[in-house]
Amino acid sequence: MGSSSDISSGPYGDIFWETRPRMSEFTVKSTIISRYAFTTVSCTMVNSGSEAREGVFEMQIPAAAFISNFTMSIGNKTYYGEVTGKEKKHSSDDKARHKKPPSPTDGRENGYETFKASVFIPRKMQARFLLHYEELLQRRLGKYEYTVSIRPQQLVGRLRVEVNILENSGIVSLEVPPLRNSKHKGNGKVEGDVSPPPSTVVGHTKTLAKVTFNPSVVEQTRIARNGILGDFIIRYDVNRELSVGDIQILNGYFVHYFAPTDLPPLPKNVVFVLDSSASMVGTKLKQTKEALFTILQDLRPEDHFNIIGFSNRIKVWQQDRLVPVTPNNIRDAKKYIHNMSPTGGTNINGALQTGAKLLNDYIAQNDIDARSVSLIIFLTDGRPTVGETQSSKILSNVKDTIRDKFCLFTIGIGNDVDHKLLERMALENCGMTRHFQEDEDAASHLKGFYDEIGTPLLSDIRVDYPEDNVEQVTQNFFPNYFNGSEIIIAGKLINHTSDSLHVEVTASNSKKYILLKTDVAIDLPSRNDIRGVPGLEDGKGDKNYIERAWSYLTIKELLNSRLKSDDSQEKDYLMEKAKSMALTYNFVTPFTVLKMREAGLHSEPPQEEFISPSTDGIGEKLQSLQGHKAPPGLHRQQDKQRIKISRTSADGDPHFVIDFPSSKFSVCFNIDGEPGDILRLVSDHKESGVTVNGQLIGAPAPPNGHKKHRTYFSTITILSNKPERSYLEITPKRIILDDGERLLLSCDRSAVVRSSSLEVSISANSNITVTIRDTISFVILIHRYKKPAPYQRNHLGFYISNSKGLSSDSHGLLGQFLNHEVKLLQDSLNTTYQQVGQNQTEALKPNPTNTLKVKGRLVPVVWKQRRIYNGQQEVDCWFAKNNADKLIDGSYKDYLASHPFDTGTNFGMINSL
């Protein structure tokens, strides 16, 4: 689908001459940390035609999400999005436009909005778009649901979705249903969920999951020839207990997730108010009836209910009362619903007044269960046409009648409903709203919505924290807690000297009682401080995901408060407060807008790939391991200083260097291994419990060289069994850390992971520092190439920076030299050996015949120079030939491990961790 001569099938099967640019790449990368999702959408369009063409990037994003950044490059120009306060008038000729076309789901909590940017792409050039958005996933029906819209509207050569989920509580019930293909989307479970979409790969450990969707063009064609594949959905839940909940603290902010399970359901008093006006004729009324039949069947014996049908007339099934759930009452209710026929107009005000009065009177006049929960479920497909039709009056009337005694839940079906009216009625009366399309399976969605609210477990929930410990706490009172949902509170800590946060969860019914209370430890390098949010672009990795969840919740609450307010001054105040916070956190909201600016002349186009190997930051990290904090502004000086710490390493092809500081010289050797060989680098399993193995990968030898092939380290495995078992498996792209809980980290995102005896520090695309019990430190350099030569491979370099914690019995190709000195002898004319003084070493000429004395063995060596630290440092060394023959104990083959986790306890012995 590239040039103007291409022919392809249009969205409706028509054949047309292709004039739009070809989409060569569409990638979605998402990282979900503790329910907070960071999503990056990357799209590349190529104009291979002979004239400029308009490229349109269009992405449906959840309406509950906030856009946090947008960048695009066209040819050699780069434009970046700047979030600014929305002005009263907007320029319409921005180079990129954030459009919200009139759509029934725009602005709906369960809907989607369309982000659209259009640019003209010069001939024979390409444009790249990068869109970032964030959202806090809501728990419904016992699952979090993350959805990505895959609708590039053409077949794409490289299409990939990658979602990484990290939940410290533990991930359970992970599922990837088939693509959801309906044009309009709603909530509720999709019937017939069977298997994931083709090419989906799901990796799942206790706390981390990785899901990828990478369909080929052929696989895309089988799904939809027009490139509208549908919604890619991931559902999961986390482990939880009947306790105060999951409280996470990071850098002065906290988020509290409360979702108790296994509580007995509370009785409910429910009135169903159903639209039966003429516009409900056909599918809408049929699906409403189907849903109500199922819902009635799910009512519990302790529940009470009634039904009101309305058009221009209002018909109450059981006058002036709610009836208990009995087989006869359910049967009669189904008959009543079955006989409802569509006719007349829509008297929304009258129906709600009748329903509210009915429920109020029932509560006042009957000795109802003090623990019961009362609610109205209201359904309509239209706008008010009979009786009171002014929205503000209807809102006022409903609020005055309900008087905070119970909650109102509203449902809209089709395109003609007044969304704002239904949303505000629900907001003002502690309920929720949903909207479904007529052409959807509305019956299952209606049933799904009822299932969300059909099992109340607690009422009048209040979560309290000490006033002198916290501030700017989000909503902490909730009228109801329904099974399968979740209560979320976030805030800021102000008492930084306190080592714990006291939490009390209370529930009020006939009397107040303390349900749960506890003290949560504030352990500042806590397990939440595990990374700087992977999945974001470089430079964004230091974002505090808990702080951003707090800001997200706060802005949402300000928007809802403004929507509910009738006071113009209060509305202005809430708007300014929301706008100020949105600008601070770079969120696009109803009060902020994304404006495009052209970047400077020397700006780089948006990048996701690693460009070249780097050792930035390694000096600072190595210095800090020795107890010296690198002073600010001395980065280059520290970079030089860190080279003196240790040259003992295995890097490159692989080239080994052993540094002997007391002898003031270094020894080097090569190992010409075979691809797939696993070399023992450090073996000290019996004493310190530490083992390091390196696996080789092969590559063709450079032309005119003497080698048949090259080998590099593709994987470094570090194992430790003291004080507890743990291991690290490191490749140029990712790190697996398993200390009882498996964790996957990307090498292209800076992060720090700490436990009681282990610290892993990642400098993005540069190096990884591993510190064990503060006495053993290894540095692994990352060598990655964007366009490698045939004889190059992405690989690793291994450096020992601190070996104090390794025993005198440590072994391995590097480990055997850490606690042994080597003497240098010079061959005299009469073939006798004399020891060379240390001060004579520097005076030795290159290439004399020299000999090392190692454990009584004499090893001939020659003078060489080696480059280490990505070629930034030259090392003068004595080189031992022939795979370090006589230099190392035994032969090269004695250092082959049987597998990456082989922990041979003694030289020549094999064991397994």
Side-chain angles (χ1 to χ4, degrees):
M1 298 178 66
S3 68
S4 58
S5 61
D6 290 341
I7 298 178
S8 68
S9 174
Y12 305 102
D14 312 17
I15 300 297
F16 59 87
W17 292 99
E18 181 61 75
T19 59
R20 59 185 172 175
R22 175 178 57 85
M23 191 179 295
S24 62
E25 171 258 348
F26 181 87
T27 303
V28 180
K29 288 186 179 179
S30 175
T31 299
I32 303 170
I33 307 180
S34 297
R35 296 79 148 169
Y36 195 75
F38 298 85
T39 302
T40 299
V41 183
S42 170
C43 174
T44 303
M45 295 184 185
V46 179
N47 178 10
S48 53
S50 57
E51 58 185 24
R53 293 175 177 172
E54 185 181 30
V56 179
F57 169 63
E58 193 170 298
M59 182 71 188
Q60 286 184 313
I61 66 172
F66 287 145
I67 291 170
S68 56
N69 206 350
F70 178 61
T71 310
M72 60 183 182
S73 62
I74 303 101
N76 57 0
K77 289 187 177 181
T78 298
Y79 303 89
Y80 65 94
E82 182 181 313
V83 177
T84 62
K86 186 173 283 188
E87 300 168 2
K88 290 184 180 179
K89 293 184 179 180
H90 302 288
S91 170
S92 60
D93 57 355
D94 285 336
K95 285 187 167 62
R97 300 181 294 279
H98 178 206
K99 294 183 179 180
K100 296 181 182 178
S103 162
T105 56
D106 275 1
R108 313 320 306 155
E109 181 189 355
N110 63 319
Y112 289 74
E113 293 179 345
T114 300
F115 177 90
K116 191 172 183 179
S118 57
V119 294
F120 277 94
I121 306 174
R123 67 186 188 91
K124 308 297 183 185
M125 298 191 83
Q126 70 176 28
R128 187 172 184 223
F129 306 89
L130 274 179
L131 174 68
H132 305 258
Y133 61 88
E134 302 174 22
E135 61 184 310
L136 183 62
L137 302 184
Q138 300 298 308
R139 187 169 182 255
R140 292 176 179 161
L141 303 174
K143 293 284 184 73
Y144 304 99
E145 182 172 292
Y146 175 77
T147 303
V148 176
S149 174
I150 311 296
R151 291 170 170 82
Q153 301 184 48
Q154 56 177 287
L155 301 177
V156 183
R158 287 185 293 130
L159 191 155
R160 179 178 173 84
V161 177
E162 179 181 317
V163 181
N164 293 284
I165 305 169
L166 172 65
E167 296 286 353
N168 279 323
S169 307
I171 299 171
V172 295
S173 306
L174 179 71
E175 61 182 48
V176 184
L179 292 167
R180 185 164 58 194
N181 291 305
S182 59
K183 181 179 178 183
H184 303 285
K185 297 160 285 286
N187 287 301
K189 286 227 174 187
V190 178
E191 293 298 322
D193 285 1
V194 192
S195 57
S199 82
T200 300
V201 177
V202 180
H204 183 11
T205 67
K206 182 180 177 183
T207 58
L208 187 120
K210 180 175 182 177
V211 180
T212 58
F213 174 56
N214 191 22
S216 65
V217 173
V218 172
E219 288 169 321
Q220 293 172 50
T221 306
R222 289 174 184 157
I223 299 168
R225 295 186 61 84
N226 58 8
I228 302 177
L229 276 63
D231 295 322
F232 185 77
I233 303 166
I234 298 172
R235 298 191 188 110
Y236 73 95
D237 198 16
V238 300
N239 281 317
R240 60 186 84 248
E241 300 171 355
L242 178 58
S243 69
V244 75
D246 179 14
I247 301 171
Q248 302 185 17
I249 299 170
L250 181 60
N251 296 340
Y253 293 85
F254 75 90
V255 63
H256 182 178
Y257 300 101
F258 181 62
T261 57
D262 301 323
L263 295 172
L266 299 179
K268 59 182 178 290
N269 312 304
V270 57
V271 176
F272 298 96
V273 182
L274 309 176
D275 189 342
S276 60
S277 62
S279 57
M280 287 285 289
V281 69
T283 305
K284 285 184 281 192
L285 188 57
K286 180 186 175 187
Q287 292 188 331
T288 300
K289 290 180 178 182
E290 286 177 10
L292 260 294
F293 291 158
T294 309
I295 289 168
L296 289 172
Q297 206 63 48
D298 287 349
L299 290 173
R300 295 183 178 86
E302 62 270 23
D303 295 340
H304 290 75
F305 73 106
N306 202 343
I307 302 165
I308 296 174
F310 74 95
S311 53
N312 55 328
R313 297 174 58 196
I314 297 162
K315 298 178 182 178
V316 182
W317 172 50
Q318 298 284 343
Q319 290 294 328
D320 302 327
R321 64 180 181 146
L322 270 67
V323 300
V325 174
T326 65
N328 287 344
N329 284 339
I330 295 298
R331 182 197 63 207
D332 293 346
K334 288 182 177 179
K335 285 181 183 177
Y336 176 78
I337 291 171
H338 177 76
N339 292 329
M340 287 175 66
S341 58
T343 181
T346 309
N347 188 353
I348 289 176
N349 183 71
L352 285 169
Q353 291 296 300
T354 302
K357 184 177 185 305
L358 181 68
L359 194 50
N360 266 323
D361 290 346
Y362 176 76
I363 293 170
Q365 297 168 10
N366 291 273
D367 184 21
I368 65 169
D369 191 323
R371 299 178 301 113
S372 64
V373 172
S374 300
L375 55 146
I376 290 178
I377 298 177
F378 174 80
L379 181 147
T380 184
D381 76 329
R383 299 169 182 270
T385 60
V386 175
E388 181 59 68
T389 58
Q390 192 173 333
S391 293
S392 59
K393 289 279 184 67
I394 295 173
L395 287 166
S396 175
N397 292 340
V398 170
K399 195 169 184 180
D400 290 344
T401 309
I402 290 178
R403 298 193 303 273
D404 297 326
K405 296 285 185 63
F406 47 84
C407 298
L408 170 63
F409 297 84
T410 61
I411 303 168
I413 299 182
N415 294 325
D416 299 326
V417 292
D418 186 337
H419 300 290
K420 288 187 176 179
L421 175 62
L422 295 186
E423 181 178 37
R424 188 164 171 185
M425 279 198 304
L427 276 175
E428 289 186 352
N429 298 283
C430 70
M432 297 185 290
T433 187
R434 291 289 185 271
H435 175 260
F436 309 120
Q437 287 300 316
E438 183 181 355
D439 60 357
E440 294 182 70
D441 183 7
S444 67
H445 289 315
L446 288 170
K447 177 61 170 62
F449 180 51
Y450 172 79
D451 287 344
E452 289 186 49
I453 60 177
T455 309
L457 299 183
L458 294 171
S459 64
D460 296 338
I461 304 97
R462 184 178 182 89
V463 185
D464 289 305
Y465 314 90
E467 290 184 3
D468 58 349
N469 271 26
V470 299
E471 65 178 358
Q472 298 184 48
V473 177
T474 58
Q475 176 186 345
N476 68 331
F477 176 79
F478 304 86
N480 299 295
Y481 166 70
F482 297 103
N483 189 39
S485 65
E486 184 169 59
I487 287 172
I488 307 175
I489 310 107
K492 296 175 69 172
L493 300 176
I494 53 176
N495 186 353
H496 297 294
T497 60
S498 176
D499 58 1
S500 66
L501 176 65
H502 184 71
V503 183
E504 288 189 1
V505 180
T506 62
S508 298
N509 289 313
S510 56
K511 59 181 180 178
K512 176 175 278 191
Y513 65 97
I514 293 177
L515 174 68
L516 300 163
K517 60 180 179 178
T518 191
D519 291 304
V520 180
I522 304 175
D523 49 337
L524 283 180
S526 70
R527 66 176 184 165
N528 301 317
D529 186 14
I530 51 174
R531 73 217 64 236
V533 190
L536 295 181
E537 289 304 299
D538 291 339
K540 305 284 185 179
D542 57 351
K543 290 186 177 181
N544 180 342
Y545 66 94
I546 293 179
E547 179 181 357
R548 295 189 76 78
W550 165 78
S551 66
Y552 175 97
L553 278 173
T554 302
I555 293 171
K556 289 288 184 185
E557 288 183 6
L558 289 167
L559 296 178
N560 286 339
S561 297
R562 184 178 184 274
L563 183 63
K564 291 191 289 186
S565 176
D566 289 320
D567 184 283
S568 59
Q569 284 189 331
E570 184 185 33
K571 289 173 82 78
D572 288 345
Y573 167 77
L574 292 168
M575 178 188 74
E576 289 302 322
K577 197 171 178 182
K579 182 194 293 186
S580 174
M581 182 166 277
L583 291 173
T584 300
Y585 290 93
N586 218 58
F587 285 145
V588 177
T589 69
F591 309 128
T592 52
V593 66
L594 196 64
K595 290 192 174 181
M596 301 308 294
R597 312 282 189 205
E598 185 171 352
L601 294 175
H602 300 292
S603 68
E604 293 291 329
Q607 291 286 344
E608 282 189 313
E609 287 186 296
F610 170 62
I611 303 301
S612 60
S614 165
T615 55
D616 287 350
I618 190 171
E620 186 170 324
K621 291 186 187 306
L622 292 187
Q623 286 299 307
S624 67
L625 293 174
Q626 303 301 316
H628 304 294
K629 187 173 181 180
L634 296 178
H635 179 77
R636 290 298 172 194
Q637 182 180 344
Q638 294 294 341
D639 212 38
K640 293 178 183 177
Q641 202 173 357
R642 60 104 169 106
I643 295 172
K644 297 177 183 177
I645 294 173
S646 175
R647 300 169 178 176
T648 301
S649 59
D651 205 344
D653 188 11
H655 302 315
F656 288 75
V657 176
I658 315 292
D659 194 29
F660 296 99
S662 60
S663 300
K664 295 187 178 178
F665 64 78
S666 299
V667 176
C668 49
F669 59 92
N670 293 349
I671 293 294
D672 296 326
E674 295 295 325
D677 282 356
I678 300 169
L679 308 184
R680 303 179 196 276
L681 302 178
V682 177
S683 298
D684 196 28
H685 180 76
K686 188 174 181 182
E687 299 298 330
S688 68
V690 173
T691 302
V692 182
N693 296 326
Q695 184 161 6
L696 298 178
I697 188 175
N704 304 319
H706 65 282
K707 293 186 177 182
K708 59 180 180 179
H709 57 242
R710 283 188 163 192
T711 52
Y712 304 92
F713 285 120
S714 62
T715 306
I716 300 289
T717 307
I718 302 172
L719 307 104
S720 174
N721 71 339
K722 294 182 181 179
E724 61 272 332
R725 177 194 179 281
S726 60
Y727 74 83
L728 281 159
E729 188 177 87
I730 301 168
T731 73
K733 289 188 175 181
R734 57 106 182 104
I735 301 164
I736 296 174
L737 167 61
D738 193 326
D739 58 356
E741 292 187 358
R742 187 179 168 93
L743 182 66
L744 182 67
L745 301 166
S746 172
C747 291
D748 58 6
R749 299 289 178 261
S750 295
V752 177
V753 181
R754 299 185 185 96
S755 67
S756 58
S757 60
L758 182 71
E759 177 178 298
V760 181
S761 179
I762 305 169
S763 180
N765 297 319
S766 173
N767 57 80
I768 300 116
T769 302
V770 179
T771 307
I772 302 171
R773 299 188 296 275
D774 294 324
T775 58
I776 303 169
S777 299
F778 305 127
V779 176
I780 294 89
L781 296 192
I782 303 168
H783 304 269
R784 283 165 66 180
Y785 307 94
K786 188 176 181 183
K787 295 180 179 179
Y791 52 86
Q792 290 177 323
R793 293 289 184 271
N794 292 339
H795 65 281
L796 301 171
F798 175 75
Y799 293 74
I800 299 176
S801 63
N802 183 357
S803 61
K804 289 179 183 177
L806 294 171
S807 75
S808 58
D809 293 329
S810 64
H811 212 272
L813 288 168
L814 293 175
Q816 64 186 293
F817 299 105
L818 296 177
N819 293 290
H820 295 280
E821 284 302 314
V822 175
K823 293 180 180 179
L824 179 65
L825 308 174
Q826 186 171 19
D827 197 7
S828 64
L829 293 176
N830 59 8
T831 69
T832 60
Y833 296 101
Q834 65 183 47
Q835 186 168 339
V836 178
Q838 293 176 7
N839 59 348
Q840 293 178 274
T841 305
E842 298 296 330
L844 291 173
K845 301 294 184 184
N847 299 322
T849 302
N850 286 282
T851 304
L852 293 177
K853 188 174 182 180
V854 183
K855 299 180 183 178
R857 300 187 297 268
L858 301 180
V859 185
V861 290
V862 295
W863 191 253
K864 267 202 173 188
Q865 282 190 329
R866 277 280 160 82
R867 287 186 175 272
I868 59 173
Y869 298 108
N870 284 329
Q872 294 183 6
Q873 175 70 23
E874 284 190 348
V875 176
D876 294 327
C877 61
W878 293 105
F879 178 72
K881 298 180 179 180
N882 301 325
N883 270 344
D885 183 38
K886 296 183 181 179
L887 175 69
I888 58 176
D889 294 338
S891 69
Y892 156 70
K893 291 188 177 180
D894 292 323
Y895 295 86
L896 295 180
S898 59
H899 55 81
F901 303 98
D902 184 352
T903 60
T905 52
N906 292 310
F907 180 60
M909 295 179 63
I910 293 176
N911 237 348
S912 214
L913 185 64

